């Protein structure tokens, strides 16, 4: 069994698939802390978790003028400044279950918790590429940076993807070769000893157990870059889908969801007020500037309070424009509407480009169930 050496996982996780291991935390746990503890951070593995010995670990870097180079973990930690960012990571399939309710799609049936927020520390990819010879000459032809994991399928093919060169070398891109998550060694499920963190970009490009980096004129030819993680029209079905017709997903669109109360919860009529909680985030470093909440299915709206720190603690300092990599947690306490027997609670976020979420799923439905970011709705009952 290639999965026999997979790590232990927290029993509270909701498992979507055991082998490979894919799981998410219960929604209400997700917004209990601004920084997601690694045990509750969603796990999305395509293959068995590779066991990597940190002492013999080598990262290959290829495609630069100096030819192929290798870096040890020690090199990464000592030769380059340590940089820390707080960044939210979201799987392209987060909230896929909402698409399944409209019409069956292919993929793991994620709820709303295939997302997490962590503090990542490591060497900047930019610093490593520059130190190894990236410069004006390479900039003439280089367009993409490929990443390959040490996890391999039965045919020996490693998980791999790529990102555009601009994101990789920009001073504002904050792409990390991370060796710490929340101040500790990256746990095995999240890429020990080194993973790429590409803030603002879909989870799929944040390659774990990083084994190889390649600077290239071409995009990665991998299955995950060319055939998966792309968006299509609601009218496209499996008979006529042409993967070449769509670009690979990189920056994600604006997203928000309600983590409490849970769908189907029963609220006590005797409570004067109702508290609604959730998260909101947007890709590309766009900051969430507002979250609107409705208790009546979208007829009337109230503005939620946003925070970027733990409840009762000071917020993290505001990020520079275009570098808002971390989510906002939000909360609204409002009078319980009198006489209502059922409430349809809805949330929607607005980002710094004034992008908004679509109100319903059908216009964004797609056969893989990706980019599911319609207004999130939960129904609760009010009882005596
Ligand atoms: N990297 C490798 N090497 N193998 C993988 O299966 N899954 C990707 C990405 N990086 C994956 C990977 C996907 S689709 C996502 S959403 C994120 O890792 C999930 O990261 P996490 O498990 O740390 O939450
Ligand atoms: Mo993903």
């Amino acid at each position: 069994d290639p999965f026999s050496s997979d790590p232990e996982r927290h029993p509270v996780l909701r498992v979507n698939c055991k082998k490979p291991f894919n799981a998410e935390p219960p929604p209400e746990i997700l917004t209990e802390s601004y920084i997601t503890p690694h045990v509750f951070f969603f796990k999305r593995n395509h293959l068995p978790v590779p066991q990597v010995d940190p002492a013999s670990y080598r990262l290959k870097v290829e495609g630069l003028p100096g030819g192929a180079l290798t870096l040890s973990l020690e090199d990464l930690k000592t030769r380059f400044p340590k940089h820390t960012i707080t960044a939210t990571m979201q799987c392209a399939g987060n909230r896929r279950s909402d698409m399944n309710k409209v019409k069956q799609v292919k993929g793991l049936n994620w709820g709303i918790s295939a997302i997490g927020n962590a503090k990542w520390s490591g060497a900047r990819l930019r610093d490593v590429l520059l130190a190894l010879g990236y410069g004006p000459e390479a900039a003439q032809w280089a367009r993409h940076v490929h990443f390959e994991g040490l996890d391999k399928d039965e045919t020996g093919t490693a998980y791999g993807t790529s990102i555009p060169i601009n994101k990789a070398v920009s001073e504002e891109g904050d792409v990390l070769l991370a060796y710490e998550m929340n101040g500790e060694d990256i746990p095995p499920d999240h890429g020990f000893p080194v993973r790429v963190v590409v803030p603002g970009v879909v989870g799929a490009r944040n390659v774990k157990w990083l084994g190889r980096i390649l600077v290239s004129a071409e995009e990665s030819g991998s299955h995950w870059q060319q055939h998966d993680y792309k968006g299509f029209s609601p009218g496209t079905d499996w008979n006529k889908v042409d993967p070449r017709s769509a670009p690979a997903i990189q920056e994600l669109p604006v997203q928000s969801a309600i983590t409490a109360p849970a769908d189907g919860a029963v609220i006590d009529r005797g409570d004067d007020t109702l508290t609604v909680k959730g998260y909101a985030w947007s890709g590309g470093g766009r900051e969430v500037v507002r979250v609107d909440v409705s208790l009546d299915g979208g007829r009337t709206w109230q503005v939620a309070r946003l925070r970027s720190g733990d409840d009762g603690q000071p917020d993290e300092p505001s990020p520079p424009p275009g570098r808002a990599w971390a989510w906002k947690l939000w909360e609204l306490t409002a009078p319980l509407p009198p006489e209502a027997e059922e409430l349809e609670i809805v949330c929607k976020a607005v980002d710094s480009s004034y992008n908004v979420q679509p109100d319903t799923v059908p216009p964004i439905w797609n056969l893989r169930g990706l980019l599911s970011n319609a207004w999130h709705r939960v129904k609760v009952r009010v009882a005596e």
Side-chain angles (χ1 to χ4, degrees):
D1 176 5
F3 297 95
S4 57
S5 54
D6 266 24
E8 292 279 310
R9 281 98 180 196
H10 199 286
V12 84
L13 292 176
R14 297 180 179 171
V15 179
N16 286 319
C17 177
K18 268 203 173 117
K19 299 177 178 183
F21 191 76
N22 286 280
E24 64 187 301
E28 61 279 10
I29 287 187
L30 199 57
T31 47
E32 260 170 27
S33 55
Y34 182 69
I35 299 292
T36 314
H38 75 85
V39 290
F40 299 139
F41 204 95
F42 79 101
K43 300 173 203 318
R44 201 292 175 240
N45 299 331
H46 290 82
L47 299 162
V49 172
Q51 283 183 296
V52 185
D53 166 24
S56 56
Y57 170 78
R58 293 292 179 276
L59 172 61
K60 288 200 205 79
V61 186
E62 293 172 40
L64 289 170
L69 291 151
T70 57
L71 294 169
S72 67
L73 186 55
E74 201 55 24
D75 290 335
L76 266 184
K77 290 184 175 176
T78 56
R79 286 181 51 189
F80 307 96
K82 181 176 174 182
H83 186 61
T84 299
I85 58 169
T86 304
T88 296
M89 192 174 305
Q90 181 183 222
C91 180
N94 190 31
R95 299 188 58 201
R96 179 178 281 132
S97 51
D98 286 353
M99 286 208 176
N100 266 326
K101 287 175 202 153
V102 169
K103 193 172 139 201
Q104 185 69 43
V105 298
K106 265 190 209 164
L108 298 162
N109 197 31
W110 294 109
I112 66 167
S113 305
I115 186 168
N117 188 48
K119 264 195 202 317
W120 308 96
S121 309
R124 291 177 195 255
L125 175 60
R126 170 190 153 84
D127 293 346
V128 171
L129 293 181
L130 262 57
L132 299 191
Y134 183 86
E137 201 191 309
Q140 298 284 318
W141 55 265
R143 293 293 171 269
H144 303 270
V145 179
H146 301 207
F147 305 118
E148 257 178 44
L150 295 167
D151 48 339
K152 297 194 168 79
D153 68 15
E154 321 76 66
T155 70
T157 307
Y159 181 84
T161 65
S162 63
I163 61 169
I165 188 84
N166 311 36
K167 175 69 177 169
V169 300
S170 152
E171 264 181 286
E172 285 84 44
D174 287 324
V175 180
L176 298 187
L177 305 180
Y179 42 77
E180 284 178 18
M181 178 182 192
N182 298 340
E184 290 169 24
D185 288 351
I186 297 209
D189 260 326
H190 299 288
F192 182 83
V194 177
R195 92 173 294 169
V196 191
V197 173
V198 192
V201 163
V202 65
R205 317 291 168 225
N206 293 248
V207 174
K208 305 192 273 191
W209 317 291
L210 183 66
R212 178 170 174 255
I213 297 175
L214 170 71
V215 178
S216 172
E218 311 296 334
E219 203 180 31
S220 162
S222 82
H223 168 80
W224 298 278
Q225 193 79 17
Q226 300 300 332
H227 294 276
D228 203 351
Y229 300 111
K230 293 186 170 197
F232 296 97
S233 162
T236 300
D237 63 27
W238 287 105
N239 298 321
K240 59 177 182 214
V241 63
D242 173 9
R244 285 165 306 182
S245 69
I249 300 168
Q250 297 282 349
E251 292 182 358
L252 284 172
V254 61
Q255 176 70 288
S256 69
I258 299 160
T259 54
D263 195 40
V266 181
I267 311 285
D268 189 341
R269 161 101 47 223
D271 295 348
D272 309 332
T273 59
L274 173 66
T275 297
V276 185
K277 289 184 186 184
Y279 65 77
W281 178 75
S282 189
R286 289 176 289 273
E287 185 168 10
V288 165
V289 296
R290 201 182 77 225
V291 172
D292 300 320
V293 179
S294 172
L295 304 182
D296 54 11
R299 274 189 300 281
T300 63
W301 298 93
Q302 304 176 62
V303 177
R305 183 174 64 89
L306 304 180
R307 58 183 164 89
S308 28
D310 279 314
D311 211 7
Q313 296 298 116
D315 277 359
E316 288 202 348
S318 294
R323 291 162 85 181
W325 311 126
W327 67 11
K328 301 267 174 88
L329 299 184
W330 56 264
E331 195 170 312
L332 176 85
T333 299
L336 198 57
E339 271 137 56
E341 284 177 3
E342 194 187 60
L343 304 178
E344 189 187 3
I345 310 174
V346 188
C347 75
K348 63 184 178 80
V350 182
D351 75 16
S352 54
S353 300
Y354 282 102
N355 290 309
V356 295
Q357 299 175 242
D359 55 346
T360 56
V361 178
I364 57 163
W365 184 95
N366 60 89
L367 72 185
R368 282 286 279 116
L370 303 174
L371 306 165
S372 184
N373 72 331
W375 298 359
H376 187 225
R377 299 162 189 266
V378 307
K379 285 197 173 131
V380 299
R381 220 155 47 74
V382 186
E384 302 308 325

